[in-house]
Amino acid sequence: MEIIPPAASIATPTTTPTTTTRHNPASHDCDHERAEDLGVPPRTKTWRATENLSTAALAVLAMVAVFGDLALQTGLSGVVSVLGILAAIGFVWQAGLLTSNRSRAMVAGAAALAMWIPLRDSLWLVVLNTLTAGSLIFTAAVFDQQPWPRLSPRSAMQLFQRLAAGLAAPLLLIRSVAASTSSKGNTGSTVAAVLRGLALAALPVVVLGGLLLQADVVLASAVQIDGDVGSLVLHGFLIAMVALAATGMICVGWAETSDDPGRPSYIGGVEGVTVLGCIFVLFSAFAGAQAVGIFANVDELLATQGTTHAEYARSGFFQLLAVATLTLMALQVLRAIGEPATGPVEAVRRVLGTGVCLLTVLIVAVSIVRLSHYVDAFGQTTLRWYSTTFALLLGAIFVLFAVDHALDFRRAWFGLTSFTLVVASLFAVNAANPERRVAEYNLTHTATESHLDAYYLTSLSADAWPTLLQHPEMLIGNTRSLVDWDRFVWRCEKEGEQMGWGVFGFNVARSRLACPMGASG
């Protein structure tokens, strides 16, 4: 990977340094030809020496950094997270990385997914929504006008090279700010230059000033700063980190790699079919054992081993889920490094691949049934709910993979469809409100109060509390499994508190929570 030094931009006076036009790959055709003549693949470049972030992009980047800092400070569940994601989309657009319909569709999905963030208070959902929205923006920026990368060792190396280009984010940021400050064509105003200088001075002044205020009580009392002075240092650090992360994404999106000339094969067609055949035999044996278990006395068999039915169900779920996940990875690797088969070998490969996928669907179904038995015995939790949902999603992906093997579709179809299915599933999970589902199940399916874990239910977020408030008599009592009135009210009030920062930290689920009066007894 070759990183262009800052001096290179000064040595090119014929080009405007604030250009954000995307690079035309045809301009490097001669370089590619020379590299091919020498037998060496072209190296990856981070960005053109004359390409910097425009003044408008830097302004949007400042918004991304400030909103990102506030989002992290408010636990990511407030309105400011939506503003940060929308600002990130605007930043990528200003950098010229949203030129294809596919990339625009991705950022539109990220914006729609972000709207769920201030509606839900569950930490699981907040993290999933934020990470997925960020991943959509990153994918749209990195693969704007490029095809989906083929799964191969060479494409993986090229991806790592592009990700390494993100390390040049500080260089790009400094060059862009310097170019914007020195260019009169952008503003032509001394006032604008002063404002840019103040923006540049904000970070060092906040960090250094915060340290000085911590070091001297007299100075801190003289400037009369309320609250913890150390929080100023934290704000400055988070703003810098968010800005560098966003700029690094642009560096990765601007990086250029050579085309993949072909896919090397490391496993022959017969060898690949043999691997599939072994997995098929193993999974067939498991399916046969399950069929025998239907007619056998499983409880008696478990009793001889000192294992209860619930323990058997719980211990088997995660192992079976791991088997399905590893199988998906193994099938993808076989496709990536295996030699394309022809004739009878290809026909056998398609049959065995389809059979392995369908048997894996059976394994996933068995794992779901086992976990449902455990939930019936011990109640529902958010971990068990999300595990079941993930298992259902994994089963659906294997159904798509079976169709892909049987009809011999291209991997691009499978990858794009699976990606869309994952994003759509997350929308469905948001609409389902998992913590409310967990609360409803435990309050309506628990046979006796002794099996009801009131302490766990009252530790759920504001998403579940409207349901809990409908059944206070099941949660308050004198038995060990229940809670007293004071704790019940205290937990409700705690979950209803806003995270601060006014409208930026506003969350709908918390604001709609109406707790009872905090009187004892």
Side-chain angles (χ1 to χ4, degrees), residues 127-448:
V127 173
L128 285 175
N129 290 334
T130 305
L131 290 180
T132 305
S135 299
L136 285 171
I137 298 173
F138 180 81
T139 305
V142 173
F143 303 109
D144 178 26
Q145 290 184 328
Q146 300 185 15
W148 289 96
R150 294 186 296 177
L151 185 61
S152 68
R154 181 177 177 85
S155 63
M157 182 60 65
Q158 289 180 337
L159 180 59
F160 284 127
Q161 289 178 335
R162 298 194 68 183
L163 293 177
L167 298 177
L171 179 60
L172 175 59
L173 187 57
I174 293 173
R175 289 181 57 230
S176 300
V177 173
S180 178
T181 304
S182 62
S183 176
K184 295 182 179 180
N186 289 335
T187 59
S189 170
T190 304
V191 176
V194 172
L195 293 177
R196 289 195 297 270
L198 292 175
L200 291 174
L203 178 59
V205 167
V206 168
V207 175
L208 298 177
L211 293 174
L212 288 174
L213 291 172
Q214 281 187 322
D216 190 84
V217 179
V218 177
L219 178 62
S221 61
V223 296
Q224 294 181 351
I225 295 182
D226 298 328
D228 184 10
V229 179
S231 63
L232 295 177
V233 179
L234 179 60
H235 280 295
F237 175 78
L238 292 178
I239 288 174
M241 291 299 101
V242 173
L244 289 176
T247 308
M249 178 175 61
I250 301 303
C251 291
V252 176
W254 282 355
E256 302 166 4
T257 57
S258 60
D259 295 332
D260 190 352
R263 188 191 70 178
S265 299
Y266 299 94
I267 297 179
V270 176
E271 289 86 345
V273 168
T274 303
V275 173
L276 286 175
C278 293
I279 298 176
F280 180 82
V281 171
L282 176 64
F283 286 3
S284 298
F286 174 82
Q290 298 305 305
V292 172
I294 296 177
F295 303 99
N297 190 347
V298 179
D299 293 332
E300 181 179 346
L301 176 62
L302 294 177
T304 59
Q305 298 180 351
T307 303
T308 65
H309 194 81
E311 291 172 347
Y312 169 72
R314 182 179 184 276
S315 62
F317 172 79
F318 292 102
Q319 286 89 333
L320 294 177
L321 211 58
V323 167
T325 304
L326 293 175
T327 301
L328 180 61
M329 296 171 60
L331 292 177
Q332 289 284 29
V333 170
L334 281 176
R335 278 190 145 190
I337 65 177
E339 181 183 50
T342 57
V345 176
E346 170 64 11
V348 174
R349 184 198 66 81
R350 291 169 61 178
V351 171
L352 289 177
T354 304
V356 168
C357 291
L358 294 178
L359 288 173
T360 308
V361 173
L362 173 63
I363 292 175
V364 172
V366 171
S367 69
I368 294 175
V369 172
R370 288 192 180 184
L371 186 60
S372 66
H373 291 326
Y374 189 79
V375 169
D376 291 339
F378 297 100
Q380 185 67 279
T381 64
T382 52
L383 176 60
R384 295 163 195 166
W385 195 94
Y386 279 102
S387 297
T388 303
T389 303
F390 174 74
L392 291 171
L393 176 61
L394 194 60
I397 291 176
F398 267 104
V399 171
L400 294 177
F401 211 5
V403 175
D404 188 40
H405 274 84
L407 302 181
D408 197 24
F409 285 120
R410 298 297 93 193
R411 284 190 302 277
W413 170 89
F414 171 74
L416 181 61
T417 305
S418 300
F419 184 80
T420 305
L421 178 62
V422 171
V423 177
S425 299
L426 187 52
F427 275 93
V429 169
N430 278 276
N433 194 352
E435 292 202 2
R436 180 174 66 87
R437 299 283 183 178
V438 169
E440 288 178 346
Y441 182 92
N442 287 288
L443 292 172
T444 57
H445 288 74
T446 304
T448 62

Side-chain angles (χ1 to χ4, degrees), residues 67-81:
F67 289 152
D69 165 58
L70 294 178
L72 292 171
Q73 296 277 19
T74 55
L76 297 175
S77 61
V79 174
V80 69
S81 295

Side-chain angles (χ1 to χ4, degrees), residues 65-142:
V66 173
F67 289 152
D69 165 58
L70 294 178
L72 292 171
Q73 296 277 19
T74 55
L76 297 175
S77 61
V79 174
V80 69
S81 295
V82 182
L83 299 178
I85 291 174
L86 295 179
I89 294 174
F91 177 56
V92 175
W93 174 72
Q94 282 289 337
L97 291 174
L98 298 180
T99 58
S100 65
N101 292 331
R102 183 184 62 190
S103 62
R104 287 191 286 266
M106 285 186 181
V107 296
L113 193 60
M115 297 304 171
W116 283 104
I117 294 177
L119 298 179
R120 295 285 181 251
D121 187 46
S122 171
L123 180 62
W124 289 75
L125 279 181
V126 169
V127 173
L128 285 175
N129 290 334
T130 305
L131 290 180
T132 305
S135 299
L136 285 171
I137 298 173
F138 180 81
T139 305
V142 173

